[in-house]
Amino acid sequence: MGTVRRPGSYVCGIDAAMDVIGGKWKVLILWALNERTLRFGELRRQVPGVTEKVLASHLRELEGDGIVHREEHAEVPPRVEYSLTKRGLALNDALEPLGAWGRENVLPDTAASG
């Protein structure tokens, strides 16, 4: 899979990566899909608060960026499943240290307060 071309110019790699994962919901979608392949409704339940319209839009964008794979099964009723590509798994691996930083520095430490 080649490099994804997005409009605009980037100052650095972090700038480019943030363009791919920017917004309130994309990292939560990535987190949910890191666990397993999900259907649209399952994914919506895993990301509480996201609307169907926004979820569908973000999934299309992530698919276009080569992060999410959409698989349609020829069944009645139709079944569509979403999973992470190798690029998506690598992105989640790259985000893990950021998540660790957030847990250590932003989330309240209940053990220390009690």
Side-chain angles (χ1 to χ4, degrees):
M1 182 174 286
T3 303
V4 176
R5 301 278 180 209
R6 296 177 72 93
S9 60
Y10 300 112
V11 175
C12 64
I14 291 174
D15 186 22
M18 292 305 293
D19 191 30
V20 173
I21 61 169
K24 181 176 181 177
W25 306 108
K26 286 186 180 177
V27 291
L28 297 175
I29 293 167
L30 291 172
W31 175 79
L33 289 174
N34 197 55
E35 298 298 316
R36 64 185 176 95
T37 298
L38 295 169
R39 294 175 70 172
F40 186 88
E42 294 172 317
L43 187 52
R44 186 160 181 230
R45 286 188 292 277
Q46 292 291 319
V47 184
V50 69
T51 65
E52 285 187 25
K53 180 180 178 179
V54 169
L55 180 57
S57 173
H58 283 344
L59 286 169
R60 278 192 299 275
E61 290 173 13
L62 290 167
E63 183 181 9
D65 290 332
I67 305 298
V68 168
H69 172 71
R70 180 181 190 267
E71 186 169 347
E72 293 183 48
H73 298 274
E75 300 175 356
V76 177
R79 178 170 54 108
V80 178
E81 294 179 326
Y82 296 91
S83 61
L84 293 179
T85 62
K86 287 182 182 181
R87 182 177 285 180
L89 292 168
L91 179 56
N92 262 355
D93 288 345
L95 290 171
E96 179 54 38
L98 187 60
W101 183 90
R103 286 188 298 275
E104 293 170 9
N105 294 284
V106 179
L107 292 178
D109 184 359
T110 56
S113 64

